[in-house]
């Protein structure tokens, strides 16, 4: 049997894209790894290269943010006999669907291979890293990113967590070599995720400036009003790097997936209660002011995001022309999605009913709309969200003791200007309310599908699903992994 994970690990040299300053991540050259890891800068560039790969359109730049993953829960209107329609029908046997999931699977493991190459060179060439803390930070980010990607592979291709024996086993790849990577049990895969996260958080905690400075400071190093004055910008812009709090947030997300509510509660609470030196919360929920400032992607909430210098083009190519749209009447959004509150910031600000060249109308989400010119560090919103503060509040709503969980949900809803909520009578009712908020909050980000799968939500509770669809959360193993 041909094992795809072995195919791309056979290469003798790994190529990484170097970069200009971090906010202008644009590949400018490729350097074989024999030279790449001969200097500290080589390690930094190699890690920057991983973030570049992660924002490719095949994964978090499109398919695992607003495209494929959202089609699985019918977020967008589709045309008959197209790939998007087959996705809304869960037709995993369709050739185009097979190819799409093959590509996602391949690129995710390809990214893991890059991470493993860095990790192995960190050990074999550790003497190159003489700057205090550089070894620890690079290794921590690589380990945590490896956990992040593997966890998403499990969430997409693995079983529903409440029934782990019914679904695919996957490989957790920790080495860059020529060996066949064996698929392991659900529990063994889980153990690897948390082992990587535990080691990563322990390594980075003494060195991550985000524990000392505010997110505003690390986003504006050496800037006016910023108390963060690094001599090396490698530790700047922690909102776009796998930082300590992103690791804890991922730990919370993963523990909730696996049903470990106590652990999810502890990790999520550490993030939402983290404070700056002045006593203010380090990670605040967004407010109406963010929408007024056209910060529709809510970068102020990003615990971890990927800088996307081409987000303006992404919006134009996918939303500006209504390739991704939902419904032809305003009520599709205001009533069906948001419940016609009349106050919800997302309901009033996040969507636009546009008229197309042919005279038809369509609801288009503004989430990825950005101004591309004349922006500053604080007004540059070109960022793909991977983990947001709002998710931590929803995790706590499920994971906290019941009364406390209700309060976390209410706090979140107040931030979205929909404070009124009749107290849920029991925990299942609370979870139903949380699921509704996942749908509204993470539209176009991919997290709603994972919430549905985690809870094995039945068809009747999935908004917009086609009447003819047979909901199926169990993707087959990609054929690149199984075909002779």
């Amino acid at each position: 049997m041909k094992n795809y994970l072995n195919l791309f690990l056979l290469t003798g040299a790994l190529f990484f894209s170097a970069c200009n300053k971090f906010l202008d991540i644009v590949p400018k050259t490729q350097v074989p790894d024999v030279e790449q890891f001969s200097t500290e800068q080589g390690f930094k560039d190699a890690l920057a290269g991983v973030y570049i790969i992660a924002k490719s359109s095949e994964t978090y730049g499109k398919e695992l943010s607003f495209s494929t993953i959202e089609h699985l829960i019918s977020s967008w209107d589709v045309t008959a006999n197209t790939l998007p329609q087959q996705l809304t029908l869960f037709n995993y046997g369709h050739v185009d669907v097979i190819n799409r999931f093959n590509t996602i699977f391949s690129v995710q493991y390809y990214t893991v291979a890059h991470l493993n190459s860095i990790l192995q060179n960190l050990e074999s060439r550790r003497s190159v890293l003489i700057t205090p803390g550089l070894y620890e930070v690079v290794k921590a980010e690589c380990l945590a990113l490896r956990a992040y990607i593997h966890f998403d592979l499990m969430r997409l291709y693995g079983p529903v967590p409440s029934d782990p024996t019914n679904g695919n086993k996957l490989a957790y790849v920790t080495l860059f070599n020529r060996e066949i990577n064996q698929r392991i049990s659900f529990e063994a895969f889980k153990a690897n995720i948390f082992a990587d996260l535990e080691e990563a958080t322990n390594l980075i905690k003494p060195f991550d400036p985000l524990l000392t400075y505010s997110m505003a400071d690390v986003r504006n190093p050496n800037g006016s009003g910023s108390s963060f004055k690094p001599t090396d910008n490698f530790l700047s812009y922690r909102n776009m790097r796998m930082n300590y709090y992103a690791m804890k947030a991922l730990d919370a997300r993963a523990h909730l997936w696996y049903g470990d509510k106590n652990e999810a509660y502890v990790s999520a609470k550490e993030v939402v209660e983290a404070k700056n030196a002045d006593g203010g919360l380090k990670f605040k929920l967004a407010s109406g002011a963010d929408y007024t400032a056209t910060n529709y992607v809510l970068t102020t909430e990003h615990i971890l995001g990927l800088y996307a210098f081409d987000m303006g083009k992404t919006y134009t190519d996918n939303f500006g022309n209504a390739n991704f749209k939902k419904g032809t009447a305003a009520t599709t959004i205001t009533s069906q999605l948001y419940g016609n509150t009349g106050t919800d910031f997302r309901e009033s600000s996040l969507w636009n009913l546009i008229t197309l060249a042919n005279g038809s109308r369509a609801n288009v989400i503004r989430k990825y709309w950005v101004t591309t010119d004349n922006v500053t560090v604080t007004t540059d919103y070109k960022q793909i969200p991977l983990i947001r503060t709002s998710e931590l509040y929803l995790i706590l709503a499920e994971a906290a003791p019941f009364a406390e969980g209700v309060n976390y949900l209410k706090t979140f809803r107040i931030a979205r200007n929909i404070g009124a909520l009749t107290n849920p009578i029991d925990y299942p009712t609370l979870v139903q309310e949380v699921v509704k908020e996942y749908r509204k909050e993470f539209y176009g980000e991919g997290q709603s599908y994972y919430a549905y799968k985690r809870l094995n939500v039945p068809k009747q509770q999935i908004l917009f699903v086609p009447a003819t669809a047979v909901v199926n959360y169990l993707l087959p193993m990609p054929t690149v992994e199984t075909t002779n």
Side-chain angles (χ1 to χ4, degrees):
M1 177 179 292
K2 180 173 67 177
N3 185 298
Y4 178 78
L5 303 185
N6 190 43
L7 290 181
F8 68 75
L9 293 178
L10 290 175
T11 179
L14 182 61
F15 293 87
F16 292 96
S17 298
C19 65
N20 296 318
K21 63 179 180 177
F22 193 77
L23 282 179
D24 294 317
I25 297 181
V26 181
K28 66 179 182 180
T29 186
Q30 289 186 320
V31 185
D33 66 343
V34 67
E35 300 173 16
Q36 181 80 50
F37 300 113
S38 62
T39 65
E40 287 189 342
Q41 189 60 47
F43 277 94
K44 295 175 184 178
D45 289 345
L47 182 54
V50 172
Y51 289 98
I52 294 170
I53 299 169
K55 74 177 186 68
S56 70
S57 62
E58 290 81 9
T59 53
Y60 300 109
K62 182 176 182 180
E63 304 306 343
L64 293 181
S65 55
F66 63 83
S67 184
T68 294
I69 195 75
E70 289 288 326
H71 279 307
L72 286 174
I73 53 173
S74 302
S75 294
W76 313 117
D77 295 343
V78 297
T79 303
N81 302 316
T82 61
L83 168 60
Q85 185 198 41
Q86 300 306 320
L87 289 167
T88 66
L89 296 174
F90 301 91
N91 186 2
Y92 300 135
H94 190 277
V95 61
D96 292 336
V97 175
I98 291 171
N99 291 337
R100 173 61 56 79
F101 285 118
N102 277 347
T103 299
I104 294 170
F105 183 89
S106 302
V107 175
Q108 287 288 71
Y109 273 115
Y110 178 68
T111 310
V112 169
H114 283 253
L115 290 165
N116 285 335
S117 180
I118 298 173
L119 286 165
Q120 287 177 207
N121 278 281
L122 275 171
E123 304 307 325
S124 63
R125 306 185 186 191
R126 186 168 180 174
S127 60
V128 171
L129 303 173
I130 58 176
T131 300
L134 183 59
Y135 165 85
E136 288 82 359
V137 171
V138 172
K139 184 173 183 178
E141 288 192 38
C142 287
L143 289 170
L145 286 167
R146 186 169 75 182
Y148 188 104
I149 294 170
H150 276 106
F151 178 55
D152 274 0
L153 284 162
M154 173 57 67
R155 290 201 293 176
L156 187 57
Y157 297 97
V160 173
S162 59
D163 186 13
T165 61
N166 183 24
N168 297 318
K169 291 181 179 180
L170 300 173
Y172 198 100
V173 185
T174 59
L175 296 174
F176 182 79
N177 60 25
R178 296 173 179 268
E179 301 301 317
I180 296 291
N181 292 276
Q182 299 298 324
R183 302 173 204 157
I184 59 179
S185 70
F186 185 80
E187 286 299 320
F189 198 98
K190 169 185 173 181
N192 276 311
I193 289 172
F194 292 117
D196 273 353
L197 281 177
E198 181 178 12
E199 184 176 1
T201 52
N202 289 337
L203 282 167
I204 205 169
K205 191 171 185 179
F207 302 102
D208 193 337
L210 194 52
L211 280 90
T212 304
Y213 300 95
S214 70
M215 185 65 86
D217 284 338
V218 299
R219 288 188 66 189
N220 189 26
N222 296 305
S224 175
S226 175
S227 58
F228 182 46
K229 310 292 183 184
T231 56
D232 181 353
N233 267 349
F234 178 72
L235 287 176
S236 303
Y237 312 111
R238 299 305 295 166
N239 56 313
M240 292 180 286
R241 301 295 287 261
M242 182 58 85
N243 59 74
Y244 171 80
Y245 290 106
M247 296 174 192
K248 299 304 293 186
L250 175 59
D251 187 75
R253 177 190 280 178
H255 274 300
L256 187 66
W257 174 268
Y258 288 110
D260 306 325
K261 293 178 184 176
N262 289 338
E263 291 84 353
Y265 172 79
V266 171
S267 290
K269 195 165 185 176
E270 180 178 351
V271 179
V272 302
E273 293 187 350
K275 290 183 172 59
N276 296 316
D278 63 3
L281 290 176
K282 194 175 290 289
F283 304 103
K284 297 179 181 179
L285 287 165
S287 67
D290 291 275
Y291 293 101
T292 302
T294 66
N295 184 7
Y296 300 120
V297 77
L298 302 182
T299 57
T300 53
E301 281 194 357
H302 292 198
I303 302 171
L304 175 64
L306 295 173
Y307 187 74
F309 64 90
D310 55 352
M311 186 177 282
K313 185 176 187 302
T314 297
Y315 180 84
T316 299
D317 292 347
N318 295 283
F319 301 98
N321 56 13
N323 279 344
F324 289 82
K325 61 184 183 298
K326 192 61 188 179
T328 59
T331 52
T332 303
I333 302 302
T334 58
S335 298
Q336 292 181 256
L337 179 58
Y338 295 109
N340 202 29
T341 67
T343 59
D344 192 326
F345 293 133
R346 299 164 298 186
E347 179 185 332
S348 60
S349 302
L350 198 53
W351 292 80
N352 200 11
L353 184 60
I354 65 173
T355 301
L356 304 178
N358 63 4
S360 63
R361 307 186 80 191
N363 290 297
V364 175
I365 197 167
R366 291 170 166 166
K367 182 165 283 186
Y368 296 103
W369 182 91
V370 290
T371 298
T372 55
D373 300 319
N374 301 318
V375 296
T376 66
V377 169
T378 56
T379 60
D380 189 350
Y381 307 138
K382 298 189 289 293
Q383 196 167 303
I384 301 165
L386 295 185
I387 305 177
R388 290 203 284 120
T389 307
S390 55
E391 183 183 351
L392 276 294
Y393 278 83
L394 296 180
I395 288 172
L396 285 166
E398 284 191 68
F402 179 68
E404 187 180 354
V406 171
N407 286 333
Y408 276 116
L409 178 59
K410 287 185 174 181
T411 299
F412 165 79
R413 285 172 57 89
I414 289 170
R416 296 299 181 259
N417 207 29
I418 46 170
L421 175 68
T422 301
N423 278 358
I425 60 173
D426 53 24
Y427 183 74
T429 307
L430 171 62
V431 172
Q432 287 180 8
E433 292 297 329
V434 170
V435 169
K436 291 178 186 177
E437 293 305 328
Y438 267 98
R439 181 57 158 162
K440 292 181 282 186
E441 181 68 11
F442 301 108
Y443 213 107
E445 294 183 40
Q447 297 307 322
S448 301
Y449 170 78
Y450 295 129
Y452 287 153
K453 180 172 179 176
R454 171 173 59 83
L455 296 165
N456 202 17
V457 171
K459 177 179 177 178
Q460 60 269 28
Q461 294 180 25
I462 304 176
L463 188 62
F464 303 135
V465 68
T468 56
V470 178
V471 174
N472 180 7
Y473 296 117
L474 300 179
L475 274 69
M477 182 63 74
T479 58
V480 290
E481 179 71 357
T482 59
T483 304
N484 287 327

